[in-house]
Amino acid sequence: MLRWVYSLLLVVLMASPAWAGYDEGMAAYKRGDYATAMREWRPLAEQGDAEAQSNLGFMYQHGQGVSQDYAEATRWFRKAAEQGYDRGQYNLGGMYSRGRGVPQDYVLAHMWFNLAATQGHKNAAMNRDRVAEHMTPADISKAQRLAREWWAKHGKK
């Protein structure tokens, strides 16, 4: 029993600094202290935290505390998206729809928007439908197939 309590305590102690770093980063971001937000979120993002990855992508996309870099923004959005994080998927779809950091690709934009919409992201379905206006029926079918294949391989994590 005592061993179980120590194990639980260790897990809580190890998790707390990561969450604190996230919260500190969010507080810094909200007050416009982007350098501190970046400093708090980068280690979390590098450890695989999808929300922190998406936040770094947003900061690179908009040049907040860093030089604007669409390729770097796309890299962080992709890391979050591939983990099934809806905001990462939505933002990656936006990068593909506008051709920022990647070649413009409506099929991939539709796919990522569709994945985010499936998880309930509030703007993803609208953006997916806007992208679809620039696509042929065959392109839409391909995007839907890619989304189904992604879910079959990754599922929601």
Side-chain angles (χ1 to χ4, degrees):
M1 175 71 171
L2 191 56
R3 183 183 224 167
W4 181 83
V5 171
Y6 285 131
S7 296
L8 180 62
L9 182 60
L10 181 62
V11 168
V12 169
L13 290 175
M14 290 178 70
S16 294
W19 187 249
Y22 185 84
D23 288 344
E24 290 168 3
M26 185 56 73
Y29 183 86
K30 287 180 179 178
R31 67 178 181 267
D33 182 358
Y34 302 130
T36 298
M38 182 66 72
R39 189 171 52 250
E40 294 295 334
W41 287 337
R42 182 173 295 280
L44 299 174
E46 289 171 350
Q47 293 170 14
D49 183 286
E51 194 166 357
Q53 290 168 341
S54 187
N55 291 348
L56 288 189
F58 191 83
M59 292 177 75
Y60 276 105
Q61 180 182 13
H62 297 282
Q64 296 173 321
V66 293
S67 296
Q68 186 176 50
D69 185 337
Y70 292 139
E72 188 68 4
T74 299
R75 185 176 80 84
W76 286 111
F77 289 148
R78 183 178 312 285
K79 286 178 178 289
E82 288 176 350
Q83 292 185 67
Y85 185 57
D86 66 330
R87 273 194 349 204
Q89 293 170 336
Y90 174 79
N91 288 324
L92 186 57
M95 299 305 272
Y96 276 111
S97 73
R98 292 184 297 277
R100 292 187 173 161
V102 290
Q104 187 175 47
D105 188 326
Y106 291 133
V107 170
L108 290 176
H110 189 286
M111 180 196 91
W112 287 113
F113 284 142
N114 199 24
L115 291 168
T118 299
Q119 296 185 81
H121 189 284
K122 66 180 182 175
N123 295 320
M126 176 183 63
N127 282 286
R128 178 199 59 212
D129 295 345
R130 283 184 183 161
V131 166
E133 293 172 4
H134 302 280
M135 300 169 68
T136 66
D139 289 337
I140 294 169
S141 180
K142 180 179 180 182
Q144 291 170 336
R145 178 180 51 78
L146 290 172
R148 283 191 307 274
E149 289 172 357
W150 189 93
W151 275 112
K153 183 176 179 182
H154 300 285
K156 186 173 181 180
K157 297 187 180 191

